[in-house]
Amino acid sequence: MSGFEALPPAIPRRSPEAVALFNAVLTSELLVNACWSKAQSGTTGLDWPAAFLILPLTLHPPTRESLPRDRRITLARWAVRQTDLLADMNFRVANMAQPTKRAIRRGLRVGRLGLEGTTLVALKRPKQSTKGWPDELQQSIKAARFCGQWFNVTDTHMAYELLGIGG
């Protein structure tokens, strides 16, 4: 030995803002809400790949605010009208992959999410929002529930195509 030990690689640090906004408690609860909503209006939870679309759709304020209020508007119809907004969706989905993975792991670890094959399911009913919750939190949860319902009528691979991801 030469007396010089190899240093372990540096652990990448997330900014305090990213830690606060993308904390695993919040993000896993958004996934729980999407899974629950999908199961309530359909037959099962969220396909594993679809989970990676929930956070980019619900945490990005302009995207969240542009989501339709009318449940009859499909993802396809909405996406066609949001070309400018969706121009960077490929980047946002890639950027949110790690927070999504952390959210899934946390949800599984604490028993809020479960896996049935490759389907992510909510194991417990999500809490209903109250007037004491911040507006942004209420809006994000509402958006997650709405997006969960979209996946009852849109196949996951089609959602990726409509949102311009991976192409």
Side-chain angles (χ1 to χ4, degrees):
M1 288 236 152
S2 64
F4 292 99
E5 301 290 323
L7 295 175
I11 297 171
R13 301 278 183 207
R14 294 184 297 151
S15 71
E17 295 82 7
V19 170
L21 181 58
F22 305 137
N23 76 70
V25 174
L26 168 65
T27 55
S28 68
E29 283 305 307
L30 291 175
L31 292 178
V32 168
N33 276 273
C35 292
W36 182 267
S37 181
K38 183 177 184 304
Q40 294 306 299
S41 58
T43 58
T44 187
L46 205 56
D47 290 340
W48 183 268
F52 288 84
L53 300 178
I54 300 300
L55 299 183
L57 287 168
T58 61
L59 289 176
H60 182 252
T63 302
R64 180 180 62 239
E65 291 163 5
S66 75
L67 292 174
R69 299 194 194 312
D70 185 347
R71 300 220 182 271
R72 294 174 296 176
I73 296 176
T74 64
L75 175 61
R77 185 173 171 191
W78 175 80
V80 166
R81 295 178 178 176
Q82 304 299 329
T83 54
D84 290 343
L85 185 61
L86 298 178
D88 70 340
M89 183 59 87
N90 204 9
F91 170 77
R92 283 191 272 143
V93 169
N95 197 36
M96 293 302 297
Q98 287 304 318
T100 299
K101 290 176 187 178
R102 280 191 295 274
I104 292 170
R105 284 192 304 265
R106 185 207 181 264
L108 293 170
R109 187 176 59 250
V110 301
R112 301 282 295 150
L113 292 171
L115 281 173
E116 293 178 1
T118 59
T119 302
L120 199 59
V121 296
L123 297 177
K124 296 181 181 176
R125 180 183 186 93
K127 292 181 180 180
Q128 293 295 328
S129 62
T130 66
K131 293 184 189 278
W133 290 13
D135 287 342
E136 189 170 9
L137 177 59
Q138 289 183 44
Q139 293 164 2
S140 295
I141 287 173
K142 184 177 180 181
R145 290 177 181 173
F146 184 84
C147 291
Q149 290 177 0
W150 261 348
F151 288 103
N152 279 318
V153 294
T154 306
D155 290 332
T156 302
H157 73 279
M158 181 56 69
Y160 273 79
E161 286 290 324
L162 290 168
L163 297 172
I165 301 164

